[in-house]
């Protein structure tokens, strides 16, 4: 399962169907590809990069229908430093994300829950999977308040940006998610690099305290991160961070590639009929 598209050039995303979807009165462009149960792939900052698209194709090729919403940034762009910082700044002040709110979910998660309902209705199967990364990392967990969501993956959750021990979810929402995880015997898969400056150990500890052993955490050594990244990651992120995208090493035996395979197996296990 290897990608042949160049990761150093803008990706035209021409093997996805770009579809405007209006939910709760809000329209967003969503990129669709594949067949099978639905998996929502939520992009990291600063947008749907070639690396994010590569991961979405891996999900598609594993037998799923990918729904990849455009949430910020320039779709398909290689993450440049200056452009990426501008996207990050706009998102940080957006009421849709509330990037500094310690104890409440981003309002955009309501739209994403509605997308999960729609995707389940369109694709069938037991339910829907979702993966959030970086700025969207927490969102897959908030989406567990939607009954159609069965397989949440949380990669390097970076919100809120100013409190490394906060969860970006209201305590009552976390309690409701835990109750559902226990009632339905479900789990949350979570990933970060040990030395990530934007998703620190305190955040995983807070999730573990709130969710107990239903929160299955994987912490990768910094040595497993790809050292060669686009300018935004090299200059702005400036630490191991993006487990299945920019910092993934697409070579057999690499811990990040094993992580990708574990996530795909998790989706297959939860979403198989």
């Amino acid at each position: 399962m290897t990608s042949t598209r160049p990761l150093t050039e803008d990706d035209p995303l021409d093997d996805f169907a770009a579809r405007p979807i209006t939910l709760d009165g809000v329209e967003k462009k969503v990129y669709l590809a594949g067949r099978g149960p639905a998996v929502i792939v939520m992009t990291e900052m600063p947008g749907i990069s070639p690396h994010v698209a590569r991961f979405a194709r891996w999900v598609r090729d594993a037998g799923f229908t990918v729904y990849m919403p455009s949430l910020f940034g320039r779709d398909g762009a290689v993450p440049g430093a200056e452009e990426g910082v501008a996207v990050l700044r706009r998102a940080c002040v957006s009421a849709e994300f509330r990037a500094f709110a310690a104890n409440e979910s981003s309002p955009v998660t309501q739209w994403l829950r509605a997308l999960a309902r729609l995707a389940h209705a369109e694709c069938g199967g037991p339910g829907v999977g979702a993966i959030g990364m970086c700025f969207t990392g927490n969102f897959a967990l908030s989406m567990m308040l939607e009954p159609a969501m069965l397989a949440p993956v949380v990669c390097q959750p970076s919100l809120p940006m100013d409190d490394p021990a906060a969860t970006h979810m209201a305590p009552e929402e976390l309690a409701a998610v835990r109750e559902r995880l226990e009632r339905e015997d479900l789990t949350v898969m979570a990933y970060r690099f040990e030395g990530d400056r934007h998703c620190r150990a305190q955040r995983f500890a807070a999730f573990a305290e709130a969710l107990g052993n239903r929160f299955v955490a994987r912490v990768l050594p910094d040595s497993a991160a790809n050292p060669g990244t686009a300018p935004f990651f090299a200059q702005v992120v400036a630490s191991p961070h993006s487990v299945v995208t920019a910092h993934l090493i697409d070579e057999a035996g690499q811990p990040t590639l094993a992580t990708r395979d574990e996530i795909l197996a998790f989706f297959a296990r939860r979403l198989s009929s």
Side-chain angles (χ1 to χ4, degrees), residues 164-240:
T167 63
H168 203 60
M169 288 182 68
E172 60 271 19
E173 288 188 351
L174 269 171
V177 169
R178 177 168 185 162
E179 190 277 331
R180 184 186 173 206
L181 292 171
E182 293 179 346
R183 183 179 73 249
E184 299 183 26
D185 192 21
L186 299 173
T187 52
V188 179
M189 299 302 297
Y191 302 88
R192 60 178 290 272
F193 283 107
E194 186 175 18
D196 191 340
R197 298 190 303 123
H198 310 281
C199 175
R200 301 186 182 182
Q202 298 99 305
R203 179 149 301 138
F204 270 29
F207 279 129
E209 182 178 357
L211 301 175
N213 61 8
R214 300 290 169 175
F215 182 77
V216 181
R218 304 276 194 256
V219 180
L220 282 72
D222 292 351
S223 60
N226 185 356
T229 57
F232 178 80
F233 291 95
Q235 300 170 29
V236 181
V237 176
S239 75

Side-chain angles (χ1 to χ4, degrees), residues 57-113:
R57 292 182 180 108
W58 282 333
V59 174
R60 173 200 65 193
D61 293 346
F64 302 99
T65 304
V66 169
Y67 287 69
M68 183 169 58
S70 176
L71 299 173
F72 39 72
R74 184 162 56 90
D75 298 342
V78 173
E82 186 174 341
E83 182 180 9
V85 167
V87 173
L88 176 61
R89 286 176 175 163
R90 285 195 296 272
C92 283
V93 299
S94 167
E96 193 172 34
F97 297 108
R98 293 182 188 160
F100 298 97
N103 295 313
E104 60 178 308
S105 297
S106 294
V108 72
T109 58
Q110 299 279 356
W111 191 93
L112 292 165
R113 287 179 217 163

Side-chain angles (χ1 to χ4, degrees), residues 43-44 99 131-142 153-169 188-193 196-208 215-219 240-243:
T43 183
E44 65 191 356
I131 179 169
M133 317 172 190
C134 174
F135 210 77
T136 67
N138 314 63
F139 296 177
L141 190 54
S142 297
V153 178
V154 176
C155 276
Q156 68 271 358
S158 304
L159 299 185
M161 297 189 69
D162 58 347
D163 186 348
T167 63
H168 203 60
M169 288 182 68
V188 179
M189 299 302 297
Y191 302 88
R192 60 178 290 272
F193 283 107
D196 191 340
R197 298 190 303 123
H198 310 281
C199 175
R200 301 186 182 182
Q202 298 99 305
R203 179 149 301 138
F204 270 29
F207 279 129
F215 182 77
V216 181
R218 304 276 194 256
V219 180
H241 180 64
S242 299
V243 176

